[in-house]
Amino acid sequence: MSCASTHEDGHRLLERVTVVANDRVTEGVGLIVLESPRVARAVRPGQFVHLRISTGTDFILRRPFSIHRAEEDRLHILYQVLGTGTRALAEKRRGEEMDVIGPLGHGWEIPEGTAHALLVAGGLGAAPMGMLAEQLSACGVAVTVAQGAPTAERLVGQGVFEATARRVLTATDDGSAGEHGFVTGLVEGALATDRPDVVYVCGPEAMARIVTAQAAAADVPCQVSLERLMACGIGACLSCVVTTTDGQRRACVDGPVFDAAHVVWDVSEIPPKH
Amino acid sequence: MESAHNINVDMSVRIGALELRNPVMTGSGTFAAGREYAEFMDLGRLGAVVTKGVSLNPWAGNASPRIAETASGMLNSIGLQNPGVESFCANDLAWLAEQDVPVIVNVSGHSLAEYVAVTERLDAEDAIDALELNISCPNVDEGGMAFGTSCAAAADVTRAVRAATGKTLIVKLSPNVTDIAEIARSVEAEGADAVSLINTLLGMAIDTDTWRPKLARTVGGLSGPAIKPVAVRMVWQVASAVSVPVVGMGGIMNAEDAVEFMLAGATAVAVGTGNFVDPATTMHVVDGLERYCRERGIDRVSALTGALKR
Ligand SMILES: Cc1cc2nc3c(=O)[nH]c(=O)nc-3n(C[C@H](O)[C@H](O)[C@H](O)COP(=O)(O)OP(=O)(O)OC[C@H]3O[C@@H](n4cnc5c(N)ncnc54)[C@H](O)[C@@H]3O)c2cc1C
Ligand SMILES: Cc1cc2nc3c(=O)[nH]c(=O)nc-3n(C[C@H](O)[C@H](O)[C@H](O)COP(=O)(O)O)c2cc1C
Ligand code: FES
């Protein structure tokens, strides 16, 4: 496998997919597995799909979801049940069909010469990092994962992290697993002891912003995966803009992964709290 | 029975000087300049591509969040973000010119002088088949809808733009008025070759957890199936009031929706929000319209226009 990747994003497909499994992972979080041969073979770490959950007219827009893992013909999506769309997603049963557009967006890049990577995930921020951890470890990169969640039960994606990372550090808001506190409290220590060549971060924007500053202070390049509300998902509608030092960029095409040093953080752009 | 299933349906329609291979176009702002969609459909099978609104200088658009989903539709407050007319011509138009599809460019401005300046610039481009004058955007502070909600202002901007171009001129009307037929008559009198409607309906949604508006701009434009009955009614009123062709849009998701607009008086139709739901929606509408006519022994699609029975 080639390891350094500063890839061109490939062709996008509209594919009819079948639900293979859809199981509860923990309170309010599910894992859906889709038979999606064409997208599964093309997707790269950090990319997402735009899933058509409803074909009725109650709600009409697709919903964007990161690919947590891809194995052969199958896509694994970790999802948090928040509103109408994700509630309907949780109701999908084995054998049901949907359609997806994907793979979409620009994912994580592995800089030339990376020997050690630090992955920082807050809550469902673990979702786009499963494939990344797998690819890094397959390339012989030493992986450290720093993961945070409100409680021990809400630490998701641990299976893939434990299988691929040299160290998995955890923090919970209530102290039920790992350190008592926020994941950002783990990052400074990990930066100092592991001296990673790159930091990858995904989670609530306030947390991603702190990690960006921590990485910058340690002079380590940092990539961040951002969420925006999306209508088209393919770059046409300008719903999803992110302000960067290079001007306005579309999260669905130029992101969702951005060079964190280029992001102009603006609290007003954080989607409404759920 | 006559073998109605074998008839060839003439799908062509006419808008001003423009002959379209079929009546299905794209709704401005939902299709960019078509490039993103070319991976999912055949642009050459569209009646026309209508581009995102273009202004004289680059516009940054509004703050995020810019969209909010609502029952059977969505609110948007994109705010006509665009790179300005020069960049548009050098990039989007240059690409579109190579595609086998008529090009209609949507024109925006903050002032009458800006509308005229953009029009003059676009008039010089051979690759453009028609202009759609957007006097109905609810998402900008100056210009936009302000020009489309009074007969006098709509007439002034149409007259000025008419004088600046010889291309087919379509004027896009706002539904946020008391009497849309009156506005349509005003722009027809000033030389519009056609009118298109409806642009989005001004709306608002509030997050009950945070008590804040769901859109950063507070209000935005409602589109999608939720607005279709309003749009069909307005198309019917306008088609009854003017003699120029009407391009109907608002919530079209399939061929039956398009048929409704045509029966109400539309000569052509546009798909907007439907492109987000399925990037090939326009293709399904083209195929479905042809099938609809064939199955009923209708040999030209234009026979549907205004054929409403009462
Ligand atoms: C590139 C990308 C990748 C994503 N990957 C994942 C993933 O792997 N797993 C996962 O659980 N979620 C992911 N999301 C977020 C997911 O798309 C939303 O949670 C989902 O669309 C909510 O749909 P809903 O109908 O249940 O909620 P709604 O009823 O639409 O909304 C409920 C709440 O969620 C908020 N919301 C809606 N859409 C988004 C969004 N796109 N981003 C942030 N907040 C949103 C709304 O503002 C609202 O407050 C991703 C989003 C993006 C942009
Ligand atoms: C995201 C978005 C952007 C739009 N941008 C423009 C625009 O730039 N110019 C314009 O005239 N109309 C614009 N519109 C309005 C549409 O072209 C169309 O008139 C309206 O959405 C109703 O059709 P629909 O229900 O099929 O979307 C926009 C609509 C949406 C949803
Ligand atoms: S979601 Fe439409 S441009 Fe990104």
Side-chain angles (χ1 to χ4, degrees), chain A residues 195-240:
Chain A
R195 314 214 117 267
D197 303 300
V198 56
V199 174
Y200 300 101
V201 57
C202 184
E205 216 154 291
M207 163 253 175
R209 188 176 178 172
I210 295 171
V211 174
T212 300
Q214 291 172 318
D219 212 15
V220 180
C222 181
Q223 297 173 32
V224 58
S225 181
L226 296 174
E227 283 188 6
R228 286 292 180 275
L229 300 184
M230 293 181 174
C232 73
I234 59 171
C237 72
L238 308 180
S239 297
C240 64

Coordinates of all heavy atoms in Angstrom, one line a residue, chain A residues 195-240:
Chain A
R195 N 5.6 12.9 20.1 CA 6.1 13.7 19.1 C 5.6 13.3 17.7 O 6.4 12.9 16.8 CB 7.7 13.7 19.1 CG 8.3 13.9 20.4 CD 9.6 14.6 20.4 NE 9.5 15.9 21.1 CZ 9.2 17.1 20.6 NH1 9.0 17.2 19.3 NH2 9.2 18.1 21.3
P196 N 4.3 13.3 17.5 CA 3.7 12.9 16.2 C 4.1 13.8 15.1 O 4.4 15.0 15.3 CB 2.2 13.0 16.5 CG 2.0 14.0 17.6 CD 3.2 13.9 18.4
D197 N 4.0 13.3 13.9 CA 4.3 14.1 12.7 C 3.1 14.8 12.2 O 3.2 15.7 11.4 CB 4.9 13.2 11.6 CG 6.1 12.4 12.0 OD1 7.1 13.1 12.4 OD2 6.0 11.2 12.1
V198 N 1.9 14.3 12.6 CA 0.7 14.9 12.2 C -0.4 14.6 13.2 O -0.4 13.6 13.9 CB 0.3 14.3 10.8 CG1 0.2 12.8 10.8 CG2 -1.0 15.0 10.3
V199 N -1.3 15.6 13.3 CA -2.5 15.5 14.2 C -3.8 15.5 13.4 O -3.9 16.3 12.5 CB -2.6 16.6 15.3 CG1 -3.8 16.5 16.1 CG2 -1.3 16.6 16.2
Y200 N -4.6 14.5 13.6 CA -6.0 14.5 13.0 C -7.0 14.7 14.0 O -7.0 14.1 15.1 CB -6.2 13.1 12.3 CG -5.2 12.8 11.3 CD1 -4.2 11.9 11.6 CD2 -5.3 13.3 10.0 CE1 -3.2 11.5 10.6 CE2 -4.3 12.9 9.0 CZ -3.3 12.0 9.3 OH -2.4 11.6 8.4
V201 N -8.0 15.6 13.8 CA -9.0 15.9 14.8 C -10.4 16.0 14.2 O -10.6 16.5 13.1 CB -8.6 17.2 15.6 CG1 -8.5 18.4 14.7 CG2 -9.7 17.4 16.7
C202 N -11.3 15.4 14.9 CA -12.7 15.5 14.6 C -13.6 15.4 15.9 O -13.4 14.6 16.7 CB -13.2 14.4 13.6 SG -14.9 14.6 13.1
G203 N -14.5 16.4 16.0 CA -15.4 16.4 17.1 C -16.1 17.7 17.2 O -16.1 18.5 16.2
P204 N -16.7 18.1 18.3 CA -17.3 19.4 18.4 C -16.4 20.5 18.0 O -15.2 20.4 18.3 CB -17.7 19.5 19.9 CG -17.8 18.1 20.4 CD -16.8 17.3 19.6
E205 N -16.9 21.5 17.4 CA -16.0 22.6 16.8 C -15.2 23.3 17.9 O -14.0 23.6 17.6 CB -16.8 23.5 15.9 CG -16.0 24.0 14.7 CD -16.9 24.4 13.6 OE1 -17.6 23.6 12.9 OE2 -16.8 25.6 13.3
A206 N -15.7 23.5 19.0 CA -15.0 24.2 20.1 C -13.8 23.4 20.5 O -12.7 23.9 20.8 CB -15.9 24.4 21.3
M207 N -14.0 22.0 20.6 CA -12.9 21.1 20.9 C -11.8 21.1 19.8 O -10.6 21.2 20.1 CB -13.5 19.7 21.2 CG -12.5 18.6 21.2 SD -12.8 17.6 19.7 CE -11.5 16.4 19.8
A208 N -12.3 21.0 18.6 CA -11.4 20.9 17.4 C -10.5 22.2 17.4 O -9.3 22.1 17.0 CB -12.2 20.8 16.1
R209 N -11.1 23.3 17.8 CA -10.4 24.5 17.7 C -9.3 24.6 18.8 O -8.2 25.0 18.5 CB -11.4 25.6 18.0 CG -10.9 27.0 17.9 CD -12.0 28.0 18.1 NE -11.5 29.3 17.9 CZ -12.3 30.4 17.9 NH1 -13.6 30.3 18.0 NH2 -11.8 31.6 17.8
I210 N -9.5 24.0 19.9 CA -8.5 23.9 21.0 C -7.4 23.0 20.5 O -6.2 23.4 20.7 CB -9.1 23.4 22.3 CG1 -10.1 24.5 22.8 CG2 -8.0 23.2 23.3 CD1 -10.9 24.0 24.0
V211 N -7.7 21.9 19.9 CA -6.7 20.9 19.5 C -5.8 21.6 18.4 O -4.6 21.4 18.4 CB -7.3 19.6 19.0 CG1 -6.3 18.7 18.5 CG2 -8.1 18.9 20.2
T212 N -6.5 22.3 17.5 CA -5.8 23.0 16.5 C -4.7 23.9 17.1 O -3.5 23.9 16.6 CB -6.7 23.9 15.6 OG1 -7.7 23.0 15.0 CG2 -6.0 24.6 14.5
A213 N -5.1 24.6 18.1 CA -4.1 25.6 18.8 C -3.0 24.8 19.5 O -1.8 25.2 19.4 CB -4.9 26.4 19.8
Q214 N -3.4 23.6 20.1 CA -2.4 22.8 20.8 C -1.3 22.3 19.8 O -0.1 22.3 20.0 CB -3.0 21.6 21.5 CG -3.9 22.1 22.7 CD -4.7 21.0 23.3 OE1 -5.3 20.1 22.6 NE2 -4.8 20.9 24.6
A215 N -1.8 21.8 18.6 CA -0.9 21.3 17.6 C 0.0 22.4 17.1 O 1.2 22.2 16.9 CB -1.7 20.6 16.5
A216 N -0.7 23.6 16.9 CA 0.1 24.7 16.3 C 1.2 25.1 17.3 O 2.4 25.3 16.9 CB -0.8 25.9 16.0
A217 N 0.9 25.1 18.6 CA 1.9 25.4 19.6 C 3.1 24.4 19.6 O 4.2 24.8 19.9 CB 1.2 25.5 21.0
A218 N 2.8 23.2 19.3 CA 3.8 22.1 19.3 C 4.4 22.1 17.9 O 5.3 21.2 17.6 CB 3.2 20.8 19.7
D219 N 4.0 22.9 17.0 CA 4.5 23.0 15.6 C 4.3 21.7 14.8 O 5.1 21.2 14.1 CB 6.0 23.3 15.7 CG 6.5 24.1 14.5 OD1 5.6 24.6 13.8 OD2 7.7 24.2 14.2
V220 N 3.1 21.1 15.1 CA 2.8 19.8 14.4 C 1.6 20.1 13.4 O 0.6 20.7 13.8 CB 2.4 18.7 15.4 CG1 2.0 17.4 14.6 CG2 3.5 18.5 16.4
P221 N 1.7 19.7 12.1 CA 0.6 20.0 11.2 C -0.7 19.3 11.7 O -0.6 18.2 12.3 CB 1.1 19.4 9.9 CG 2.5 18.9 10.1 CD 2.9 19.0 11.5
C222 N -1.8 19.9 11.4 CA -3.1 19.4 12.0 C -4.1 19.5 10.9 O -4.2 20.5 10.2 CB -3.5 20.3 13.2 SG -5.0 19.7 14.0
Q223 N -4.9 18.4 10.8 CA -6.0 18.3 9.8 C -7.3 18.2 10.7 O -7.3 17.4 11.6 CB -5.9 17.2 8.9 CG -4.6 17.3 8.0 CD -4.4 16.1 7.1 OE1 -5.3 15.4 6.7 NE2 -3.1 15.8 6.9
V224 N -8.4 18.9 10.2 CA -9.6 18.8 11.0 C -10.8 18.5 10.0 O -10.8 19.0 8.9 CB -9.9 20.2 11.7 CG1 -9.9 21.3 10.7 CG2 -11.2 20.1 12.5
S225 N -11.7 17.6 10.5 CA -12.9 17.3 9.7 C -14.0 18.1 10.3 O -14.3 18.1 11.5 CB -13.2 15.8 9.8 OG -14.3 15.5 9.0
L226 N -14.6 18.9 9.4 CA -15.7 19.8 9.9 C -17.1 19.4 9.4 O -17.2 18.8 8.3 CB -15.4 21.3 9.4 CG -14.1 21.9 9.9 CD1 -13.9 23.2 9.2 CD2 -14.3 22.1 11.4
E227 N -18.1 19.7 10.1 CA -19.5 19.5 9.7 C -20.2 20.8 9.3 O -20.0 21.8 10.0 CB -20.3 18.8 10.8 CG -19.9 17.3 10.9 CD -20.9 16.7 11.9 OE1 -21.8 17.3 12.4 OE2 -20.6 15.5 12.2
R228 N -20.9 20.7 8.2 CA -21.8 21.8 7.9 C -23.1 21.2 7.4 O -23.1 20.1 7.0 CB -21.2 22.7 6.7 CG -20.0 23.6 7.1 CD -20.5 24.7 8.0 NE -19.3 25.5 8.4 CZ -18.5 25.3 9.4 NH1 -18.6 24.2 10.1 NH2 -17.5 26.2 9.7
L229 N -24.2 22.0 7.6 CA -25.4 21.6 7.0 C -25.3 21.5 5.5 O -24.8 22.4 4.9 CB -26.6 22.5 7.4 CG -26.8 22.6 8.9 CD1 -28.0 23.5 9.2 CD2 -27.0 21.3 9.6
M230 N -25.7 20.4 4.9 CA -25.5 20.2 3.5 C -26.8 19.9 2.7 O -27.6 19.1 3.2 CB -24.6 19.1 3.2 CG -23.2 19.3 3.7 SD -22.1 18.0 3.4 CE -20.5 18.7 3.9
A231 N -27.0 20.6 1.6 CA -28.2 20.2 0.8 C -27.7 19.3 -0.3 O -27.9 18.1 -0.3 CB -28.8 21.5 0.2
C232 N -26.9 19.8 -1.3 CA -26.6 18.9 -2.5 C -25.5 17.9 -2.2 O -25.6 16.8 -2.7 CB -26.2 19.8 -3.7 SG -24.6 20.6 -3.5
G233 N -24.5 18.3 -1.4 CA -23.4 17.4 -1.1 C -22.4 17.2 -2.2 O -21.4 16.6 -2.0
I234 N -22.6 17.9 -3.3 CA -21.7 17.7 -4.4 C -21.1 19.0 -4.9 O -20.4 19.0 -6.0 CB -22.4 16.9 -5.6 CG1 -23.6 17.7 -6.1 CG2 -22.7 15.5 -5.2 CD1 -24.2 17.1 -7.4
G235 N -21.3 20.1 -4.2 CA -20.6 21.3 -4.6 C -21.4 22.3 -5.3 O -20.8 23.4 -5.7
A236 N -22.7 22.1 -5.5 CA -23.5 23.0 -6.3 C -24.2 24.1 -5.6 O -24.5 25.2 -6.2 CB -24.5 22.2 -7.2
C237 N -24.6 23.9 -4.3 CA -25.6 24.8 -3.7 C -25.0 25.9 -2.8 O -25.7 26.8 -2.4 CB -26.7 24.0 -3.0 SG -26.1 23.2 -1.5
L238 N -23.8 25.7 -2.4 CA -23.1 26.6 -1.5 C -23.8 26.8 -0.1 O -23.7 27.8 0.6 CB -23.0 28.0 -2.1 CG -22.3 28.0 -3.5 CD1 -22.3 29.4 -4.1 CD2 -20.9 27.4 -3.4
S239 N -24.4 25.7 0.4 CA -24.9 25.6 1.7 C -23.9 25.5 2.8 O -24.1 25.8 3.9 CB -25.8 24.4 1.9 OG -26.9 24.4 1.0
C240 N -22.8 24.9 2.4 CA -21.9 24.3 3.4 C -20.5 25.0 3.6 O -19.5 24.4 3.9 CB -21.6 22.8 3.0 SG -20.7 22.8 1.4

